[in-house]
Amino acid sequence: MSVRALWFTEGRLHVIDQRELPKRTRIRHLRRVEEVADAIRTLTVRGAPAIGVAAAFGMVLASRERGWTPDRAARLLRSTRPTAYDLFVGIETVRAAWARGEDPGRAAMAYRDQVVDECHEIGEAGAPLFLRRPRVLTHCNAGALATVEWGTSLAPLRVAKSRGAPIFVWVDETRPLLQGSRLTAWELLQEEIPHAVIADNAAGHFMRRGEIDAVIVGADRIVSNGDFANKIGTYEKAVLAHENHIPFYVAAPWTTFDVQRRSGASIPVEERSADEVRHFAGASVAPAKSPVRNPAFDVTPARYVTAYITPGGVATPARVGALARRHGLANGLTR
Ligand code: MRU
């Protein structure tokens, strides 16, 4: 079975409620732009490319409701999450079409198709890297749930498996919200891809033992020097991979590339509620009075990246800025 995170039919955006996986596959049917904003804020729908597509359809819903202008709807949707660049590209693509008097629905559908096609291209471009390095660690969820279809980090692994590679995925649980153990493991089960979930602090152990051949992650924002933001904990996996001489790959569509930003230092990092750290599976796991910090993302310097897997092919850190500029500048977005 292949997984699809969201779809738009009959004037409604349908999303798998990712907060409920893996216990239950519940579909939410969103009719209003405010419901889409809420779904993005609460991680009902999540993952950089998927929230870009969801927001694009949120703009479509706003265009069919009374009282919304393109700018007002864009402001609401932009306020939901600060780090994933795709969110802003998705919103801007439809805002601009709507403001020009074009059909927002057609713009959103074209945007969705582009994201899906680019993820497939990432799969084709990246698969050869894993034919002889089949035991791969991934962090968070950058599969179909995070991108609509295919995924970014999971796409090359899916394609490599279809070409006969004995792919085995090490799945970081990914505290605090467990996108690895709840979502990536669920996706891999659907497609019968062999895997094992490990605690976040176990990756170094398996790297040192020679049981991990490569690491692949997605990204929420990649800037022109190759620094990138991804789920908190990505940075330490990159440093560990470097220490253990293991290749470290970053897979992303063009909508993730913020080419006008020069380094990762200026990427906005979302800080989420303390309760996400204080509680685990409904139980309190820290004293209620202890202060908590909960950054949702970290920024990994380009020097730890072996290569980026893009829809335009595989690029080294030295080349990725120029390659992305050729494709990404058309977005013309800054924040
Ligand atoms: O907070 P989340 O679950 O939206 O974070 C998602 C990630 O960090 C993913 O790795 C990233 O968006 C890439 S998804 C292809």
Side-chain angles (χ1 to χ4, degrees):
M1 174 195 141
S2 65
V3 174
R4 206 157 40 126
L6 57 87
W7 59 99
F8 190 83
T9 54
E10 294 158 8
R12 291 182 303 170
L13 178 63
H14 313 273
V15 302
I16 297 182
D17 188 336
Q18 300 192 31
R19 298 167 304 178
E20 301 209 20
L21 289 172
K23 256 197 210 148
R24 198 170 18 206
T25 311
R26 190 201 294 261
I27 312 297
R28 302 272 171 199
H29 309 283
L30 312 176
R31 291 182 175 80
R32 298 187 302 113
V33 61
E34 278 165 332
E35 291 174 342
V36 176
D38 194 55
I40 294 171
R41 204 176 283 118
T42 57
L43 274 54
T44 303
V45 55
R46 48 143 300 281
I51 62 176
V53 174
F57 286 117
M59 293 293 292
V60 176
L61 295 177
S63 75
R64 297 173 185 181
E65 283 178 64
R66 245 210 276 272
W68 292 97
T69 62
D71 287 344
R72 182 167 168 244
R75 258 198 314 279
L76 169 70
L77 289 163
R78 281 192 211 115
S79 71
T80 53
R81 300 194 74 188
T83 304
Y85 193 61
D86 312 56
L87 175 71
F88 303 96
V89 179
I91 294 167
E92 181 55 21
T93 301
V94 181
R95 189 205 64 77
W98 180 4
R100 285 193 300 267
E102 294 166 13
D103 176 8
R106 187 185 289 252
M109 204 55 88
Y111 181 79
R112 173 231 174 260
D113 290 349
Q114 179 198 344
V115 168
V116 171
D117 288 351
E118 289 189 8
C119 287
H120 189 196
E121 287 163 10
I122 288 168
E124 296 289 331
L129 298 168
F130 304 98
L131 298 179
R132 280 202 290 275
R133 290 183 176 273
R135 300 170 306 166
V136 185
L137 177 81
T138 190
H139 191 69
C140 194
N141 170 265
L145 287 170
T147 64
V148 184
E149 287 177 31
W150 286 100
T152 54
S153 70
L154 295 192
L157 307 183
R158 290 187 156 109
V159 175
K161 179 170 184 274
S162 73
R163 294 184 191 167
I167 294 294
F168 180 90
V169 186
W170 291 100
V171 180
D172 279 342
E173 62 175 351
T174 316
R175 276 283 283 154
L177 296 180
L178 306 177
Q179 287 93 332
S181 60
R182 291 190 305 105
L183 307 178
T184 300
W186 179 82
E187 274 195 43
L188 295 170
L189 267 185
Q190 307 297 312
E191 299 188 29
E192 298 176 2
I193 298 179
H195 62 280
V197 177
I198 57 173
D200 279 339
N201 43 12
H205 169 76
F206 289 109
M207 287 186 192
R208 249 178 96 77
R209 288 166 59 112
E211 295 190 46
I212 295 176
D213 301 322
V215 181
I216 186 167
V217 295
D220 282 80
R221 194 183 287 242
I222 303 175
V223 300
S224 62
N225 74 346
D227 294 352
F228 74 100
N230 192 48
K231 181 53 56 196
I232 191 75
T234 299
Y235 169 51
E236 61 188 49
K237 301 304 178 289
V239 174
L240 275 171
H242 182 78
E243 160 75 10
N244 288 280
H245 310 290
I246 294 169
F248 184 94
Y249 298 108
V250 181
W254 297 125
T255 48
T256 307
F257 284 81
D258 180 0
V259 287
Q260 293 176 16
R261 218 175 271 267
R262 299 248 287 274
S263 94
S266 64
I267 296 177
V269 172
E270 176 181 10
E271 183 110 12
R272 292 185 62 86
S273 160
D275 286 344
E276 293 180 353
V277 173
R278 273 206 194 100
H279 296 96
F280 187 83
S284 167
V285 290
K289 287 192 176 151
S290 290
V292 164
R293 293 292 307 273
N294 184 20
F297 301 96
D298 56 26
V299 176
T300 300
R303 67 176 178 279
Y304 291 112
V305 179
T306 307
Y308 304 81
I309 306 171
T310 77
V314 178
T316 59
R319 281 197 53 242
V320 75
L323 184 64
R325 212 166 282 113
R326 281 218 299 279
H327 295 263
L329 258 189
N331 299 326
L333 284 182
T334 43
R335 276 194 82 244

